[in-house]
Amino acid sequence: MNKAILLIQCPDQKGIVAEVSKFLYAYQGNILEIDQHVDEELQLFFMRAAWELDSFSVAKDEIASKFKAEVGEKFKMDFKLHFNSPKPKMAIFVSKLSHCLFDILARHHAGQLEVEIPLVVSNHQDLKSIVEAFNIPFYHVPVSKNTKVESEARQLDLMEEYQIDFVVLARYMQILSANFIQRFPNKIINIHHSFLPAFVGAKPYHAAYERGVKIIGATAHYVTEELDAGPIIEQEVARVRHHNTISDLLQIGQDVEKVVLSKAIKYHLDRKVLAFKNKTVIFY
Amino acid sequence: MNKAILLIQCPDQKGIVAEVSKFLYAYQGNILEIDQHVDEELQLFFMRAAWELDSFSVAKDEIASKFKAEVGEKFKMDFKLHFNSPKPKMAIFVSKLSHCLFDILARHHAGQLEVEIPLVVSNHQDLKSIVEAFNIPFYHVPVSKNTKVESEARQLDLMEEYQIDFVVLARYMQILSANFIQRFPNKIINIHHSFLPAFVGAKPYHAAYERGVKIIGATAHYVTEELDAGPIIEQEVARVRHHNTISDLLQIGQDVEKVVLSKAIKYHLDRKVLAFKNKTVIFY
Amino acid sequence: MNKAILLIQCPDQKGIVAEVSKFLYAYQGNILEIDQHVDEELQLFFMRAAWELDSFSVAKDEIASKFKAEVGEKFKMDFKLHFNSPKPKMAIFVSKLSHCLFDILARHHAGQLEVEIPLVVSNHQDLKSIVEAFNIPFYHVPVSKNTKVESEARQLDLMEEYQIDFVVLARYMQILSANFIQRFPNKIINIHHSFLPAFVGAKPYHAAYERGVKIIGATAHYVTEELDAGPIIEQEVARVRHHNTISDLLQIGQDVEKVVLSKAIKYHLDRKVLAFKNKTVIFY
Amino acid sequence: MNKAILLIQCPDQKGIVAEVSKFLYAYQGNILEIDQHVDEELQLFFMRAAWELDSFSVAKDEIASKFKAEVGEKFKMDFKLHFNSPKPKMAIFVSKLSHCLFDILARHHAGQLEVEIPLVVSNHQDLKSIVEAFNIPFYHVPVSKNTKVESEARQLDLMEEYQIDFVVLARYMQILSANFIQRFPNKIINIHHSFLPAFVGAKPYHAAYERGVKIIGATAHYVTEELDAGPIIEQEVARVRHHNTISDLLQIGQDVEKVVLSKAIKYHLDRKVLAFKNKTVIFY
């Protein structure tokens, strides 16, 4: 089914839902899902509306301007219009650990992710054979302190070449520069292997072990310039016990990481995420 | 804040959201929450809208008829209109176990439940002193095989006397008659001490122990004439291990029961539950 | 590290722990883990002891007989002695769904499962290429009503040829005969896609959808002759909502299934499972 | 049943389990539970053994010295011997919030906590009537910046007068002095309303709201001189969504807090907690 999805943010006021739904109804849009949220503190209004495109009487490339003119401007809306076709293009960045990569590729192979994966980029060669078994191009872009600038330039070229819409850091273990991040605002999804904001930075499982926590977790978030501080999309946890070694924590954590990351990708693909002020509204 | 809440069920068709929101907007209703759901299989539309009453230009006692005339009839809506004031009246039925009762009374005492509790009814005397410590009338209505009809007649009289809106069976352990149930359609909330539909009926923790399950649970549901088969409102689970005795299961389970029951009461009070075809739509 | 693991069941009485630990100490066994459990109801004693083999002064092939003579007979023990080397051999049976298979193979590839996987057996061809990408032999053994006996004979031949120690049904979707099951007592691990004992049999997600449950689950258990009724090894659940379709349930459930099945395999491999009277003791 | 419970810490070496179990067996001790743990990194051995006292042939007041002479000294053990009778004496400190207090008192009333509660201490009068409804003495000890020393002196006098064994801070909201804490090493249980180490200090729900986390939690820990940094006994979490206000978080969190605190009290009472190096071993 061809769908259009509208994501809206604007100052809260009366009549927004009425006007948006009137617009969709006026042009024969069959609403599939409609969700709204008001942040009382900030007096901000958020909305997501999805509708069937086939019966809609406005041409696909005219919807945005028509909506802006008839509704958007009146309410000073910041809105984005998405279509579920063509599928968005997602790049995966990995390092040496395979669990998140495998999980994404297996879901994609099973037809569960409505996305194209034109390439996988890695700073190591270890996962090349896995990626190629799925018939996906694998690019080895080594990264070292001295070559970081060149490496990112190469990565950005690849993003452009393949017209990448968003990037998933599937345990990539490298910190991206502000330059790279600004090219993909709220379009880089990272999986951090702790229950943020606990254990920011490197080796969170070691830190969790030292602290003696009884529960560990993982956090998928959009990457911003401040390390591990971007808007959180999804989190999940798992129970650990005193007899679990750091190595156990790594394994238990991996099961959480891969599920959390895949959920975040799915929310992003389904256009269910609205990011604002370092937080997210998620209409699931 | 004075609020009105509208719960709607009707055959799905285009324009419902537009018409409902137009209605609210036209009379200066400030929408607080709006949720909708379409059951694709049954082609049924469900909606919940909450709005501020103070600024609304239709008088409280005219809203229902006006809405019916202007919107409801057109879409063949089955709708209910609720107000958050005056508070609904809830009767609690208990037997001997205190954990659910205590939990509800403690929440009520802390101001977390927007409800009046005019009375507690029990077939035993055990919990009398607890109830009276909270300054709530306690009625002892013994129930035995031979006196069941008279006991229920007495209970129904009490419900009428106190103008009870809905009933909570907080581990009441007695089966209500069809007659009683029909008087409170989707207005009797029971907590069953298993993860339904597993372990219907008596002694579910014993059955769970015998089966060797690794997780136990509790289920809050509306009472219908078929035992433990009514629409499920909420469920939750807890992990158990091989060394847990039946007595452990009872205790672990009680923590789940009281939380699940309180959540269900809260959803019911907030008018977030729409029951249909032995299921529930819950807009949380 | 070379390890020996002793699993013991016997009637409960005083002195068992003392005698077992004395035996291990007497022959320079460095105990790594020791766990015990008493089923008070059945007056049964369960124990698991793991110790370092390298420093142990009894030859590997004499431990069992020595232990039996010095400790086992006195307490009428039913015991099993395992070694972590050589690795056990696990056969995987699949049908068309890939998620559990992928998950196991990915973990194996990452070195997380101390097991050999000599072959994968399927009644369909769909997953052949995946299996072969991991360099594991794939056997297509079609199963139909009329050929079931021959198919199982072929499967059993394969089990013998590859000296299979235990079998994992990774969403195999076929019911094994009593004959097959008796060849692998408590050595066939199945993943059932419901929170047993709810929704035994086929299409549990459909049944869960119909019943309107708020939580779905998955159960890993040893296969016995009664369908979906064998000793439960592990269970896990996930929350669902009214807007989740059956197709959503299938996907949400798959994430639970694969994690539960992998945990069960791990417990089995680590010899942490003692099955008795249709239940399990799990020393994790 | 009269029980003795032995908690042991010592450098790891061979033969400890054998010697301890031999000691218990030699004097007709019927072992009820035995658990051990080795911290490989620190080469530390931990053990908990519980046995029936009635059949034990050593007099209650001679067990400790006999065990020390026959086993403890040999292995340089740091051990503690507990009996389940007489019941330990627990003081509860509260401020204004009632949910944890109610939960503890309700469990105690239902006979689930093997403890005496000789008094409740509060810096406010708000919860006086609740406490007295349970027939427990309530002491109002106001605390202000200038009177802190005197207030603690008064509290310590009360602890002494009532021969208090351990203290539970049931959302007490005051920071105890080093002097107080040193009087009760690993004997003060606090409930912190966040998933530590995230959101140390005051107003963690506000901080969680600001950060936009998707899961909140609570942590029960022993109080040490460093704020919210003592050994963690138990943690639990609950899911929150974008529409949850800070006030929602407070309520959702309270359900987690009370369950976590009660579990921690139960572990402590059952002598299942061994604290070391700012962590805990918990034999549940």
Side-chain angles (χ1 to χ4, degrees):
Chain A
M1 185 203 305
N2 286 310
K3 291 198 291 186
I5 298 162
L6 198 54
L7 295 178
I8 299 168
Q9 296 190 28
C10 65
D12 189 31
Q13 57 191 295
K14 284 184 194 175
I16 307 177
V17 175
E19 290 291 327
V20 173
S21 52
K22 194 178 91 181
F23 175 86
L24 297 177
Y25 183 44
Y27 299 108
Q28 281 81 50
N30 188 27
I31 294 177
L32 299 164
E33 289 155 352
I34 193 160
D35 290 282
Q36 60 95 44
H37 167 64
V38 176
D39 187 307
E40 299 285 352
E41 199 189 342
L42 305 174
Q43 283 297 303
L44 277 179
F45 176 90
F46 301 88
M47 187 169 177
R48 177 185 182 273
W51 69 97
E52 273 184 62
L53 209 52
D54 297 333
S55 64
F56 203 53
S57 65
V58 185
K60 202 169 159 178
D61 56 0
E62 285 169 18
I63 299 174
S65 57
K66 205 173 191 71
F67 180 76
K68 190 180 174 188
E70 299 185 14
V71 184
E73 280 177 350
K74 179 175 171 189
F75 293 102
K76 300 200 176 68
M77 284 178 179
D78 176 9
F79 73 88
K80 276 177 201 144
L81 181 67
H82 299 280
F83 303 105
N84 70 330
S85 171
K87 294 181 191 169
K89 294 192 172 78
M90 171 174 92
I92 306 176
F93 281 41
V94 293
S95 186
K96 290 179 168 184
L97 287 169
S98 62
H99 58 287
C100 287
L101 175 67
F102 254 131
D103 196 67
I104 296 167
L105 297 182
R107 282 173 208 269
H108 189 246
H109 184 268
Q112 293 181 3
L113 297 176
E114 293 290 315
V115 72
E116 273 187 53
I117 306 176
L119 82 165
V120 172
V121 174
S122 181
N123 54 335
H124 293 283
Q125 296 270 22
D126 306 51
L127 305 178
K128 189 174 199 285
S129 63
I130 293 174
V131 173
E132 292 180 349
F134 284 88
N135 296 313
I136 295 174
F138 177 91
Y139 287 87
H140 178 218
V141 183
V143 178
S144 68
K145 257 191 191 164
N146 299 327
T147 65
K148 188 148 186 177
V149 175
E150 293 87 334
S151 300
E152 280 207 350
R154 170 77 177 122
Q155 291 167 344
L156 283 170
D157 283 349
L158 286 167
M159 299 304 102
E160 195 146 323
E161 182 186 339
Y162 285 99
Q163 295 179 277
I164 292 305
D165 293 298
F166 71 106
V167 176
V168 168
L169 307 182
R171 297 296 307 274
Y172 176 54
M173 315 299 271
Q174 295 289 323
I175 297 174
L176 297 174
S177 73
N179 175 46
F180 193 109
I181 294 166
Q182 283 155 12
R183 290 278 291 274
F184 292 95
N186 289 331
K187 286 177 177 172
I188 305 171
I189 301 173
N190 182 48
I191 180 73
H192 183 73
H193 42 315
S194 87
F195 185 76
L196 288 174
F199 310 126
V200 166
K203 295 199 173 284
Y205 291 127
H206 290 72
Y209 180 84
E210 279 308 306
R211 182 61 188 91
V213 295
K214 300 302 184 188
I215 289 175
I216 58 171
T219 305
H221 63 95
Y222 287 125
V223 175
T224 57
E225 294 178 39
E226 190 181 343
L227 183 66
D228 299 332
I232 293 171
I233 307 169
E234 178 62 324
Q235 300 188 291
E236 194 47 270
V237 297
R239 194 160 275 277
V240 294
R241 293 191 60 193
H242 60 264
H243 60 248
N244 291 125
T245 61
I246 291 177
S247 159
D248 291 340
L249 265 52
L250 287 167
Q251 280 200 32
I252 294 167
Q254 290 188 358
D255 278 354
V256 181
E257 293 164 30
K258 69 189 187 191
V259 169
V260 168
L261 180 56
S262 289
K263 273 194 190 169
I265 292 172
K266 200 130 178 43
Y267 292 149
H268 184 88
L269 282 177
D270 292 345
R271 312 298 181 181
K272 295 193 165 169
V273 188
L274 279 153
F276 75 106
K277 209 204 156 210
N278 217 38
K279 294 195 198 184
T280 60
V281 169
I282 312 226
F283 291 122
Y284 65 83
Chain B
M1 186 201 305
N2 286 312
K3 291 197 291 184
I5 298 162
L6 197 54
L7 295 179
I8 300 168
Q9 296 190 29
C10 65
D12 188 30
Q13 56 190 295
K14 285 183 194 175
I16 307 177
V17 176
E19 290 289 328
V20 174
S21 51
K22 196 178 90 180
F23 175 87
L24 297 176
Y25 184 43
Y27 300 107
Q28 282 81 49
N30 188 28
I31 295 177
L32 299 164
E33 290 156 350
I34 192 160
D35 288 284
Q36 61 96 43
H37 167 64
V38 176
D39 186 308
E40 297 287 349
E41 199 188 342
L42 305 173
Q43 284 297 303
L44 277 177
F45 176 90
F46 301 87
M47 188 168 174
R48 175 184 185 273
W51 68 98
E52 272 184 61
L53 210 51
D54 296 334
S55 64
F56 203 54
S57 64
V58 184
K60 203 169 160 178
D61 57 359
E62 285 169 19
I63 299 174
S65 59
K66 202 170 194 73
F67 180 76
K68 189 179 174 188
E70 298 186 16
V71 185
E73 281 177 348
K74 178 176 170 190
F75 294 102
K76 300 198 175 70
M77 283 178 179
D78 177 8
F79 73 88
K80 277 176 199 146
L81 181 67
H82 299 279
F83 302 104
N84 70 331
S85 169
K87 292 181 193 171
K89 295 191 170 79
M90 171 174 92
I92 306 176
F93 280 42
V94 293
S95 186
K96 292 180 168 182
L97 286 169
S98 63
H99 58 288
C100 286
L101 175 67
F102 254 131
D103 196 66
I104 295 167
L105 297 181
R107 284 173 207 269
H108 189 246
H109 184 268
Q112 292 181 3
L113 297 176
E114 293 290 315
V115 72
E116 273 188 51
I117 306 176
L119 83 165
V120 172
V121 175
S122 181
N123 54 335
H124 293 282
Q125 297 270 23
D126 306 51
L127 305 179
K128 189 175 197 288
S129 63
I130 293 175
V131 172
E132 292 180 350
F134 285 87
N135 297 313
I136 295 175
F138 176 92
Y139 287 87
H140 178 219
V141 183
V143 178
S144 67
K145 256 190 192 165
N146 299 328
T147 66
K148 186 148 187 176
V149 176
E150 294 86 334
S151 301
E152 280 206 352
R154 170 76 176 121
Q155 291 166 345
L156 284 169
D157 284 349
L158 286 167
M159 300 303 103
E160 196 146 325
E161 181 185 339
Y162 285 98
Q163 294 179 278
I164 292 304
D165 293 298
F166 71 104
V167 177
V168 168
L169 307 182
R171 297 295 308 274
Y172 176 53
M173 316 298 272
Q174 295 289 322
I175 296 174
L176 298 173
S177 73
N179 175 45
F180 193 108
I181 293 166
Q182 283 155 13
R183 291 278 292 274
F184 292 95
N186 290 332
K187 287 177 177 172
I188 306 171
I189 300 173
N190 182 47
I191 180 72
H192 182 73
H193 42 315
S194 86
F195 185 77
L196 289 175
F199 310 126
V200 165
K203 295 201 174 282
Y205 291 127
H206 291 71
Y209 180 83
E210 279 308 306
R211 182 60 187 91
V213 295
K214 300 302 183 187
I215 290 175
I216 59 171
T219 305
H221 63 95
Y222 288 126
V223 174
T224 56
E225 295 178 37
E226 189 181 343
L227 181 66
D228 299 332
I232 292 171
I233 305 169
E234 179 61 322
Q235 301 187 290
E236 194 47 90
V237 296
R239 192 160 277 275
V240 294
R241 293 191 61 191
H242 60 263
H243 60 246
N244 291 125
T245 61
I246 290 176
S247 160
D248 291 339
L249 265 50
L250 288 166
Q251 280 201 32
I252 294 167
Q254 289 188 358
D255 279 352
V256 181
E257 293 165 29
K258 68 188 186 193
V259 170
V260 169
L261 180 56
S262 289
K263 273 195 190 170
I265 292 172
K266 198 125 181 44
Y267 293 149
H268 184 87
L269 283 176
D270 292 344
R271 311 298 181 180
K272 295 193 165 171
V273 189
L274 279 154
F276 75 107
K277 207 205 157 211
N278 218 39
K279 294 195 199 183
T280 59
V281 168
I282 311 222
F283 290 122
Y284 66 83
Chain C
M1 185 203 306
N2 286 309
K3 291 199 291 186
I5 298 163
L6 198 55
L7 295 178
I8 300 168
Q9 297 191 26
C10 64
D12 189 29
Q13 56 190 295
K14 284 183 194 174
I16 306 177
V17 175
E19 291 289 328
V20 173
S21 52
K22 194 178 92 181
F23 174 86
L24 296 177
Y25 184 44
Y27 300 107
Q28 280 81 49
N30 188 28
I31 294 177
L32 299 164
E33 290 156 351
I34 193 159
D35 288 284
Q36 62 96 45
H37 168 62
V38 176
D39 187 307
E40 297 286 350
E41 199 188 342
L42 305 174
Q43 284 296 302
L44 276 178
F45 176 90
F46 300 88
M47 187 170 176
R48 177 185 183 273
W51 69 96
E52 272 182 63
L53 210 52
D54 296 334
S55 64
F56 203 53
S57 64
V58 184
K60 203 169 160 177
D61 57 359
E62 284 170 17
I63 299 174
S65 58
K66 202 170 193 77
F67 180 77
K68 189 179 174 190
E70 298 185 15
V71 184
E73 282 178 347
K74 179 176 170 189
F75 293 101
K76 299 200 176 71
M77 284 178 179
D78 177 8
F79 74 87
K80 275 176 201 146
L81 181 67
H82 298 280
F83 303 104
N84 69 332
S85 170
K87 292 180 192 171
K89 295 191 170 78
M90 171 173 93
I92 307 176
F93 280 43
V94 294
S95 187
K96 289 179 169 184
L97 287 169
S98 62
H99 58 288
C100 287
L101 175 67
F102 254 132
D103 197 66
I104 296 167
L105 296 182
R107 283 173 208 269
H108 189 247
H109 185 269
Q112 292 180 4
L113 296 176
E114 293 289 315
V115 71
E116 273 187 52
I117 306 177
L119 82 165
V120 172
V121 175
S122 181
N123 55 335
H124 293 282
Q125 296 272 21
D126 305 51
L127 304 179
K128 188 174 198 287
S129 63
I130 292 174
V131 172
E132 291 178 351
F134 285 89
N135 296 312
I136 295 174
F138 177 91
Y139 287 87
H140 178 221
V141 183
V143 177
S144 69
K145 254 190 193 165
N146 299 326
T147 64
K148 187 147 186 175
V149 175
E150 293 86 336
S151 300
E152 281 207 352
R154 170 77 176 121
Q155 290 167 345
L156 284 169
D157 284 350
L158 286 167
M159 299 303 103
E160 195 147 323
E161 182 187 339
Y162 285 98
Q163 294 179 278
I164 292 305
D165 292 300
F166 71 105
V167 176
V168 168
L169 308 181
R171 297 296 308 275
Y172 176 54
M173 315 300 271
Q174 295 290 321
I175 296 175
L176 297 173
S177 72
N179 175 46
F180 193 109
I181 293 166
Q182 283 156 10
R183 290 278 293 273
F184 291 95
N186 291 330
K187 288 178 176 170
I188 305 171
I189 301 173
N190 183 48
I191 180 73
H192 182 73
H193 41 315
S194 87
F195 184 77
L196 289 175
F199 310 127
V200 166
K203 294 199 174 282
Y205 291 127
H206 290 72
Y209 179 84
E210 278 310 304
R211 181 61 188 90
V213 294
K214 300 302 183 189
I215 289 175
I216 58 170
T219 305
H221 64 94
Y222 288 125
V223 175
T224 56
E225 294 178 38
E226 190 181 343
L227 183 65
D228 299 332
I232 293 170
I233 306 170
E234 179 60 324
Q235 300 188 293
E236 194 46 270
V237 296
R239 193 159 278 275
V240 295
R241 293 192 60 192
H242 60 266
H243 60 247
N244 290 125
T245 60
I246 291 177
S247 160
D248 291 339
L249 265 50
L250 287 166
Q251 279 200 33
I252 294 167
Q254 289 187 359
D255 278 353
V256 182
E257 292 165 31
K258 70 188 186 192
V259 170
V260 168
L261 180 56
S262 288
K263 272 196 191 169
I265 292 172
K266 199 128 177 48
Y267 292 150
H268 184 87
L269 282 177
D270 292 344
R271 311 298 182 182
K272 293 192 166 170
V273 188
L274 278 153
F276 76 106
K277 207 204 158 210
N278 218 39
K279 294 194 196 183
T280 59
V281 168
I282 312 227
F283 291 121
Y284 65 83
Chain D
M1 185 203 305
N2 286 310
K3 289 199 292 185
I5 298 163
L6 197 54
L7 295 178
I8 299 168
Q9 296 191 29
C10 64
D12 188 31
Q13 56 190 297
K14 285 183 193 174
I16 306 177
V17 176
E19 291 289 326
V20 173
S21 52
K22 195 179 91 180
F23 174 87
L24 297 177
Y25 185 43
Y27 299 107
Q28 279 81 49
N30 188 27
I31 294 176
L32 299 164
E33 289 155 353
I34 192 161
D35 288 284
Q36 61 96 44
H37 168 62
V38 177
D39 187 307
E40 298 286 350
E41 200 188 340
L42 305 174
Q43 284 297 303
L44 276 178
F45 176 91
F46 301 88
M47 188 171 176
R48 176 184 184 273
W51 69 97
E52 275 183 60
L53 209 53
D54 297 333
S55 65
F56 203 53
S57 64
V58 184
K60 204 170 159 177
D61 57 358
E62 285 170 17
I63 299 173
S65 57
K66 203 170 193 75
F67 180 76
K68 189 179 174 189
E70 298 185 16
V71 185
E73 282 178 347
K74 179 177 170 188
F75 293 101
K76 301 201 173 68
M77 284 177 178
D78 176 8
F79 73 88
K80 277 177 199 146
L81 181 68
H82 299 281
F83 303 104
N84 69 331
S85 170
K87 293 181 193 170
K89 295 191 170 80
M90 172 174 92
I92 306 177
F93 281 42
V94 294
S95 186
K96 291 179 168 184
L97 287 169
S98 63
H99 58 287
C100 286
L101 175 66
F102 253 131
D103 197 68
I104 296 167
L105 296 181
R107 283 173 209 268
H108 190 247
H109 185 268
Q112 292 181 5
L113 295 177
E114 293 289 318
V115 72
E116 273 188 52
I117 306 177
L119 82 165
V120 172
V121 175
S122 181
N123 54 335
H124 293 283
Q125 296 270 22
D126 305 51
L127 304 179
K128 188 174 198 286
S129 63
I130 292 174
V131 172
E132 291 179 349
F134 285 88
N135 296 313
I136 295 175
F138 177 90
Y139 287 87
H140 178 218
V141 183
V143 178
S144 68
K145 256 192 194 165
N146 299 327
T147 64
K148 188 148 185 175
V149 174
E150 294 86 334
S151 300
E152 281 208 352
R154 171 77 176 120
Q155 291 167 345
L156 283 169
D157 283 350
L158 286 167
M159 299 304 103
E160 194 147 326
E161 181 185 340
Y162 285 99
Q163 294 180 277
I164 293 304
D165 293 299
F166 70 105
V167 176
V168 168
L169 308 182
R171 296 295 308 272
Y172 176 54
M173 315 299 272
Q174 296 289 322
I175 296 175
L176 298 173
S177 72
N179 175 45
F180 193 109
I181 293 166
Q182 283 156 11
R183 291 279 291 274
F184 292 95
N186 291 331
K187 287 177 176 172
I188 305 171
I189 300 173
N190 182 48
I191 180 73
H192 183 73
H193 42 316
S194 87
F195 184 76
L196 288 175
F199 310 126
V200 166
K203 295 201 174 281
Y205 291 127
H206 291 72
Y209 180 83
E210 279 309 306
R211 182 61 188 92
V213 295
K214 300 302 183 187
I215 290 175
I216 58 171
T219 305
H221 63 94
Y222 287 125
V223 174
T224 56
E225 294 178 39
E226 190 182 343
L227 183 65
D228 299 331
I232 293 170
I233 306 169
E234 179 62 321
Q235 301 187 292
E236 194 48 91
V237 296
R239 193 161 277 275
V240 295
R241 293 192 61 193
H242 60 263
H243 60 247
N244 291 125
T245 61
I246 291 177
S247 160
D248 292 339
L249 265 49
L250 287 167
Q251 279 200 33
I252 294 167
Q254 289 187 0
D255 278 353
V256 181
E257 293 165 31
K258 70 189 187 192
V259 169
V260 169
L261 180 56
S262 288
K263 272 195 192 171
I265 293 172
K266 198 127 178 48
Y267 292 150
H268 184 87
L269 283 177
D270 292 345
R271 312 297 182 182
K272 292 192 167 172
V273 188
L274 278 153
F276 75 107
K277 207 204 158 211
N278 219 39
K279 295 196 198 182
T280 60
V281 168
I282 312 224
F283 291 121
Y284 66 84

